[in-house]
Amino acid sequence: MDQTHIPPVLVTGATGRVGRVVVDQLLDAGIPVRALTHRAEAAATLPAKVEVFTGDLTAPESLDPALNGAGAVFLVWTAPPQTAAAVVERLAAHLRRVVFLSSPHQTPHPFFQQPNPMATLHADIERLIAATGLESTIIRPGMLSSNSLAWWAPAIRSREVVRWPYGAAETAPIDDRDVAAVAARTLHQDGHVGGDYVLTGPESLTQAAQVGIIGDALGHRIPFEEMTPDEFRSLSEGTAPKSVIDMLLNAWSAAVGQPAYITTAVADILGTPPRTFHQWAADHATAFTEGP
Ligand SMILES: NC(=O)c1ccc[n+]([C@@H]2O[C@H](COP(=O)([O-])OP(=O)(O)OC[C@H]3O[C@@H](n4cnc5c(N)ncnc54)[C@H](OP(=O)(O)O)[C@@H]3O)[C@@H](O)[C@H]2O)c1
């Protein structure tokens, strides 16, 4: 594709799990890409074709060079809420189109309806975007498959039992690559302005079954043992904010005995079914043995 007349897309969170794949997908589609990095050293992980800008969501004016001349932005909010309004205002001043990585906080399934500060922030940012009149698409993935790396890889690498609360809780993990593919598609293909997409994986799986599937990919059985919520709380102290731990425990508790919410959005948008958790685990097997 001739790139001379296509305005670049600015990808925020460009070194993160979803944004990094969005960068590759946009380049593959022939779209010029700008990447926002927050830590200058993170730029080394980006392809040479990407125009890298250093900027910080907590310092809205730092985004101006990256926004100037861009056509659209992929917005991943990983900062505290205080500067969200000023950042959205700046986006609207410079460009017309935003695709926002949010969450399924409006979905009437108990898993998504527990008290959740992140959901409140996502809802606030959506309201800010709507108020500007920016052409927007909202992408709402459920549980990302890659969460299991942070949660279970340390025990699996050391060949220990995976101990976890609410092993019977069901989720429909979605492959990060499918989330990124949908985001990229909505950024470079017409017809997605006003789109609001809840993205899930293809199957409802208990957390214990997900550990079993990782074991299948590694070729050995991974023992799983139920942990009490209180033990999880005390072991998680200092590793994540208390509100995040409470949110996870409440969501898992509400998901026991409930099939996970599943949508066809990935297949509808991409024309191919979402990857299974088996596929994700097979493709990431070495991350559970050798480390990230
Ligand atoms: N985990 C899930 O199951 C799930 C489900 C639905 C939605 N989400 C949402 O997904 C988002 C996280 O996406 P992710 O997992 O792809 O991110 P991630 O892997 O955690 O990466 C974080 C990214 O944010 C950048 N960043 C951090 N602080 C920044 C700042 N102050 N200014 C600018 N950039 C900053 C980092 O850039 P540097 O490398 O340069 O520091 C990095 O690229 C969150 O909004 C989360 O709520 C997650």
Side-chain angles (χ1 to χ4, degrees), residues 13-19 36-39 42 55-58 76-79 101-103 118 122 141-144 147:
T15 54
R17 292 182 285 178
V18 176
L36 189 81
T37 59
H38 156 244
R39 297 166 299 128
D56 194 321
L57 294 169
T58 66
V76 180
W77 194 271
T78 46
L101 179 64
S102 183
S103 54
M118 189 54 76
H122 286 157
M143 198 59 97
L144 296 178
N147 290 345

Side-chain angles (χ1 to χ4, degrees), residues 71-73 95-99 129 132-137 192-194:
V73 64
L95 39 80
R96 289 180 44 210
R97 177 101 181 89
V98 58
V99 174
I129 289 172
T132 61
L134 274 160
E135 294 177 356
S136 68
T137 306
H192 296 289
V193 171

Side-chain angles (χ1 to χ4, degrees), residues 16-280:
R17 292 182 285 178
V18 176
R20 180 64 187 78
V21 189
V22 171
V23 166
D24 288 342
Q25 297 266 340
L26 288 171
L27 289 175
D28 287 351
I31 309 297
V33 176
R34 291 181 176 182
L36 189 81
T37 59
H38 156 244
R39 297 166 299 128
E41 67 275 19
T45 63
L46 290 160
K49 270 171 109 176
V50 171
E51 203 183 345
V52 180
F53 291 81
T54 304
D56 194 321
L57 294 169
T58 66
E61 67 289 351
S62 71
L63 307 183
D64 285 351
L67 289 171
N68 212 349
V73 64
F74 179 54
L75 179 63
V76 180
W77 194 271
T78 46
Q82 288 79 0
T83 51
V87 166
V88 172
E89 206 175 288
R90 274 193 138 78
L91 302 184
H94 284 89
L95 39 80
R96 289 180 44 210
R97 177 101 181 89
V98 58
V99 174
F100 175 49
L101 179 64
S102 183
S103 54
H105 56 84
Q106 299 159 325
T107 296
H109 182 286
F111 183 76
F112 298 121
Q113 289 306 320
Q114 306 309 309
N116 181 348
M118 189 54 76
T120 306
L121 173 57
H122 286 157
D124 287 346
I125 294 176
E126 288 165 37
R127 269 191 293 276
L128 290 165
I129 289 172
T132 61
L134 274 160
E135 294 177 356
S136 68
T137 306
I138 311 295
I139 309 271
R140 306 179 185 279
M143 198 59 97
L144 296 178
S145 299
S146 60
N147 290 345
S148 59
L149 268 174
W151 294 340
W152 304 324
I156 293 171
R157 262 181 230 130
S158 350
R159 291 285 190 138
E160 289 166 10
V161 175
V162 170
R163 302 187 66 249
W164 205 249
Y166 298 110
E170 298 193 35
T171 62
I174 178 159
D175 194 307
D176 311 22
R177 294 169 294 184
D178 289 328
V179 178
V182 168
R185 191 68 73 89
T186 62
L187 279 158
H188 73 75
Q189 194 178 58
D190 288 342
H192 296 289
V193 171
D196 188 317
Y197 304 127
V198 176
L199 308 180
T200 71
E203 52 193 343
S204 179
L205 296 165
T206 66
Q207 299 201 89
Q210 292 169 34
V211 172
I213 288 168
I214 295 167
D216 293 344
L218 299 184
H220 65 83
R221 189 182 157 271
I222 301 169
F224 182 91
E225 203 176 281
E226 189 75 19
M227 176 193 281
T228 67
D230 279 346
E231 191 181 354
F232 183 74
R233 258 191 207 94
S234 70
L235 287 174
S236 307
E237 223 164 280
T239 64
K242 186 180 170 303
S243 59
V244 171
I245 300 303
D246 285 343
M247 179 270 285
L248 284 171
L249 287 169
N250 288 333
W252 288 327
S253 165
V256 172
Q258 298 259 4
Y261 186 81
I262 291 174
T263 71
T264 59
V266 170
D268 295 344
I269 295 163
L270 299 180
T272 50
R275 293 173 176 89
T276 62
F277 191 69
H278 288 82
Q279 181 68 56
W280 179 87

